[in-house]
Amino acid sequence: MRKSANDNCPETRWNRGCLQEWRAGLSEERKAADQKLLSDIFNLAAKVPQLKEALDWANAHDIEFIIDRQTRASGYYSRGTGIVALSAKALEEDPGWGVGTVVHETRHAWQDWHGMLLRKIGRFSDYFFSNVLTEADADAYGQRARHQYRLREKQEKLVKNLFGIRPVKWFAARYDRQIEASQNDPGILWIAFKDWFSRGSAISYGKRAMKYLAEEFGIPGYKADDSNVEFKAFGNADAPRTGTEIDFRSKEKLHQLGRDFSGNRNYFSGAAKRRYIESVFRPAMAERFYSKERKRPKLMDEIRKRSMLRELGKTRTARRPSIPA
């Protein structure tokens, strides 16, 4: 099994939770259907370089893939487990979307491998900073994979329609060059990263994070959203909290997040990009979910108060269901 020089052994890195027992409860028919779905989506790696890069990393780091047949999400990652779950419905209805979901959730596994998913339970902004950065990063990779899949679809349609016409190879090669260029251009990742904020994605994640912390602090009337997932690695509890939380305001840690699956190119490089990311670390903007039009929810005051009390040792941690990445 291939691994990077600084990687720990994958076999001892992951805590699989109840995966073995969960799989044992599946019928043989279900297992065969799930495997076919996974094989079909994985085979698209021959057409989509970003999917291949993600799956190469997953294979080298002992990532497990499962199919969830009841979740409302397109997919999710269970922190600490190395387990990526993919929605059967999403894969069956739109392979192009499925390609992006595989890459997105595998990127969360990559983040977890590097200790980036353990978020600080405290002030909303402290928690949310890590939330939005890791989500926007994973989304950037997923969007690049979907872009490459769409280009490949256009190429195949063109070749089919121009069958027998002399310049077809020239037209097809043009799409090959576009796909290769997209894989080698970190600027595409940066555009997608910024788009995650501009299209309002932070709002839905902000509401979920707020409910999560409200329940964590025992604020009456609030409960974390239930994603209706089929697989819960640790029942209704979070993964064990091992390691220390990363503060992405550290240049070193932020630089690490910006690297690709191989740990090479950094799409956060550049003064303008660093200035943009610095704007993400504004508590006032985080508490409005990065939308200037939204008002700061009053619940933020109570979350801040309770987090301060916890720091003073006056509250206890409540057990509550985890939010999949």
Side-chain angles (χ1 to χ4, degrees):
M1 180 175 290
R2 293 178 290 108
K3 60 181 181 178
S4 302
N6 295 326
D7 281 352
N8 296 323
C9 179
E11 290 82 353
T12 61
R13 184 63 174 264
W14 306 121
N15 180 348
R16 301 297 192 191
C18 65
L19 178 62
Q20 185 174 350
E21 293 84 352
W22 181 79
R23 277 181 168 159
L26 303 178
S27 68
E28 293 305 314
E29 292 78 9
R30 163 72 186 271
K31 291 177 183 177
D34 288 357
Q35 186 55 51
K36 184 179 186 308
L37 271 179
L38 291 174
S39 296
D40 287 347
I41 201 72
F42 292 164
N43 287 340
L44 295 176
K47 302 179 179 182
V48 181
Q50 183 58 81
L51 178 61
K52 183 180 185 303
E53 181 190 46
L55 291 179
D56 284 347
W57 182 88
N59 290 334
H61 292 80
D62 198 30
I63 303 303
E64 293 272 2
F65 292 88
I66 64 173
I67 297 295
D68 188 315
R69 293 184 175 271
Q70 71 179 37
T71 182
R72 293 188 293 269
S74 296
Y76 55 92
Y77 174 73
S78 300
R79 181 176 62 81
T81 66
I83 300 171
V84 167
L86 304 167
S87 163
K89 184 178 180 180
L91 297 187
E92 290 167 345
E93 291 184 350
D94 188 348
W97 184 261
V99 161
T101 300
V102 173
V103 172
H104 179 117
E105 302 303 338
T106 302
R107 184 64 178 182
H108 281 316
W110 179 93
Q111 293 164 353
D112 195 18
W113 179 268
H114 293 286
M116 299 181 185
L117 292 188
L118 189 60
R119 295 161 188 159
K120 184 178 180 181
I121 304 299
R123 291 195 311 168
F124 176 85
S125 57
D126 290 338
Y127 177 85
F128 201 41
F129 289 154
S130 298
N131 199 172
V132 297
L133 287 172
T134 52
E135 283 300 332
D137 173 65
D139 189 70
Y141 280 88
Q143 292 294 350
R144 179 157 73 175
R146 293 183 182 114
H147 172 67
Q148 292 174 357
Y149 180 85
R150 288 192 294 269
L151 287 174
R152 191 66 75 189
E153 277 191 315
K154 290 180 180 179
Q155 180 191 48
E156 292 175 349
K157 183 178 180 180
L158 179 73
V159 170
K160 182 179 180 181
N161 291 339
L162 295 181
F163 181 74
I165 298 178
R166 196 166 199 177
V168 65
K169 289 185 179 180
W170 182 87
F171 285 114
R174 185 171 62 178
Y175 281 100
D176 285 333
R177 290 193 294 271
Q178 289 180 29
I179 292 170
E180 182 180 1
S182 75
Q183 184 65 18
N184 294 325
D185 181 8
I188 288 180
L189 293 175
W190 176 250
I191 292 171
F193 177 88
K194 287 182 64 178
D195 282 350
W196 189 89
F197 291 90
S198 62
R199 68 174 184 260
S201 301
I203 294 175
S204 60
Y205 282 93
K207 290 179 178 179
R208 291 173 62 193
M210 190 169 60
K211 291 179 182 178
Y212 177 84
L213 290 176
E215 185 177 357
E216 167 73 27
F217 293 132
I219 300 174
Y222 291 94
K223 188 174 182 180
D225 288 341
D226 183 2
S227 298
N228 194 35
V229 300
E230 187 177 10
F231 174 72
K232 296 181 179 180
F234 305 101
N236 286 329
D238 279 338
R241 293 182 68 83
T242 57
T244 57
E245 299 96 342
I246 279 185
D247 184 351
F248 284 112
R249 283 168 290 196
S250 159
K251 289 184 179 180
E252 177 186 355
K253 298 303 181 184
L254 193 60
H255 184 82
Q256 186 179 30
L257 176 64
R259 291 181 174 178
D260 61 21
F261 279 95
S262 301
N264 299 321
R265 291 185 177 184
N266 189 321
Y267 74 97
F268 287 164
S269 294
K273 294 175 183 178
R274 286 195 295 272
R275 284 195 298 271
Y276 179 85
I277 294 175
E278 286 172 2
S279 72
V280 174
F281 295 125
R282 296 173 183 169
M285 286 301 294
E287 292 179 349
R288 296 207 304 268
F289 312 147
Y290 299 99
S291 171
K292 295 180 180 179
E293 289 73 32
R294 292 185 64 85
K295 292 183 179 180
R296 180 179 177 276
K298 293 182 179 179
L299 180 57
M300 295 295 180
D301 293 329
E302 187 63 23
I303 290 175
R304 181 177 295 180
K305 174 184 173 182
R306 303 255 179 153
S307 68
M308 291 175 64
L309 289 173
R310 173 171 293 190
E311 289 178 5
L312 294 173
K314 295 182 179 179
T315 60
R316 292 185 178 181
T317 302
R319 295 180 70 85
R320 67 291 177 257
S322 61
I323 299 177

